Amino acid sequence: MESLLASNSASERTQSPYVTGTSVVSIKYKDGILMAADMGGSYGSTLRYKSVERMKPIGKHSLLGASGEISDFQEILRYLDELILYDNMWDDGNSLGPKEVHNYLTRVMYNRRNKFNPLWNSLVLGGVKNGQKYLGMVSMIGVHFEDNHVATGFGNHLARPILRDEWREDLSFEDGVKLLEKCMRVLLYRDRSAVNKLQIAKITEEGVTISPPYSLKTFWGYKAFENPTVGAEGSW
Amino acid sequence: MTKQQANWSPYDNNGGSVVAIAGADYCVVAADTRMSTGYSILTREYSKICQLADKSFLASSGFQADVRALQKQLAARHLIYQHQHNKQMSCPAMAQLLSNTLYYKRFFPYYAFNVLGGLDNEGKGCVFTYDAVGSYERVGYSSQGSGSTLIIPFLDNQLKSPSPLLLPAQDAVTPLSEAEAIDLVKTVFASATERDIYTGDKLEIVILNAAGTRREYMELRKD
C-alpha cells in the first residue's frame, strides 16, 4: 500500500483539498426536502470566497448539496449536466429521479476512490418523484445511505442531535425552515469556518427553489463572550 | 502550505456485528442496523443483510462502500448463473463464489467481513465464515464485525459445538431449536451492544426454514 501511494504522489491526484465548503444540513418535510448550506469557501483557514453556491438543482426532480472541495463539486456538476442532457436526448418522456442520480454519484465517488484519485466531497442528494421523497448522502470514498435527515461534516456532530430531537415526518415548510435555521445558527456559533450568509433550498413535486442569500440573527452580548479570559488570566 | 490533514485512506470501518447460526432444519442470520464512522453514527437504519439467492443470505460488516460493491458483484454473477442454469444457486455454491470474488481482489481487498447463512440442498442449515481475502470454512455458527470478540466466546460457551478435529467428522449444526436460536441471537446482541460502541440501534434477524423466510426486528440501545 505504501509503495502504491508513493508512486502516485508525483501525478496529479487530489490528496488534500484546497478551497472547501463546510456543512450541509438537509431534512425531509411534509411536501418534500429542505436543505441549507452557507456560502463560505475556505482556503485552509482563510475565508477566501463568500458567495459560493453549494446547492444546485439536478434535472427536474433532484437537488444536490456539497461540502468539501469546491472545484471537485463543480466538476461533479459538469458530469451531472452531461448525464441529464444525454438522458433528455432519448426524448422518451422518462427522466432520472433522485434515486438514480444518488446511485450514479455513489458509483462515481467509489470509482474515483478505487483509482486513488478521490473527489474530495460529502454530497447530499434530495428529491421528490412520483410522490416519493428521497434524501441520501455519499462520502468521498463511496460510503452512502438514506435517512430522514442528514448533515455533512460538523453538521453530523452539531445539527443531527437537534434533528433527532425535533424532526417529524409531517413538518410544515415554515417549521422545517425554522428547524434548519436553528441548526445553522448552532453551526455558525461553533464551526469556525461557517459564515453568516446562507441559502435554503426547497424541492417538491413542483420543482426546486433556492432562496437568495440571507443572514441569521445572532446575539454575541453574553457576559461570557465580553471578557472570556476572566478567571483564566495569562502570564501577561 | 503545510499538510493539515492525515494521509487520505481509501478505507473506513463502518462497524457493526453480524451473527449466523445453523440448525438441523433452519438457519438464523442476524445483524444490527447501526452504521458509524469514527465516533459518529451515520445512520441508525442501514441493513447489513443481503439476500443473494432463495436460500442464501449474506451478512457483512466492515467498509460499507466495499460491502455494497461486493453485493452488487455477487448479484450480477447470480443473475448470469440463473440465465445459464435456470435455477437458484445453492448456498454452498454461493459460498465458493464469494470466496473467489474476495480473493480476486487479494491485493486491493474488499474490506468486508462476511458470514453467509442459508440452507443447503438437503434443507440443512449452513453457515460459512470468511476473512477479507476469501479464506472460508463451513461452521455451525459464526460472528464477524466489531462485536465479534464479545459474541464468539459467548456462542462457544452456549453451543459447545463438536471439535472439528473429531473423527469421524461431526455435523456442524447446533443442537438448539429454532426458537432457542432466535432467543440466543437476541441475547448476544443485547450484550454486545452494552460494550461495543459500534453495535446498536436495531437488530435485524432473518430466519430460513422449510416453510420459507421470515424477518424479525428488535430494538437495541441507541447510545
Side-chain angles (χ1 to χ4, degrees), chain B residues 18-33:
Chain B
V18 299
V19 167
I21 299 178
D25 58 353
Y26 68 87
C27 186
V28 179
V29 182
D32 67 313
T33 66

Side-chain angles (χ1 to χ4, degrees), chain B residues 133-145:
Chain B
V133 290
S135 313
Y136 81 114
E137 184 182 26
R138 184 169 175 170
V139 290
Y141 58 89
S142 184
S143 172
Q144 296 270 4

Side-chain angles (χ1 to χ4, degrees), chain A residues 1 15-17 44 103 107 110 113-114 116 118 120 140-147 156-157 160 164, chain B residues 1 4-5 8-12 14 35 40-44 46 63-66 68-69 72 108 110:
Chain A
M1 185 70 74
Q15 302 285 0
S16 65
N103 189 240
R107 285 359 280 171
Y110 184 67
R113 91 103 210 189
N114 283 345
F116 283 72
W120 211 280
M140 186 162 66
I141 49 180
V143 173
H144 58 281
F145 59 90
E146 289 172 47
D147 216 329
N156 200 33
H157 293 102
R160 287 197 77 192
R164 286 193 180 119
Chain B
M1 193 160 58
Q4 293 196 333
Q5 256 86 17
W8 177 76
S9 165
Y11 291 116
D12 189 9
N14 300 111
M35 183 161 91
S40 304
I41 295 171
L42 289 172
T43 174
R44 299 187 193 278
Y46 189 86
F63 174 40
Q64 185 265 351
D66 274 352
R68 179 53 74 90
K72 281 193 163 209
F108 181 23
Y110 287 121

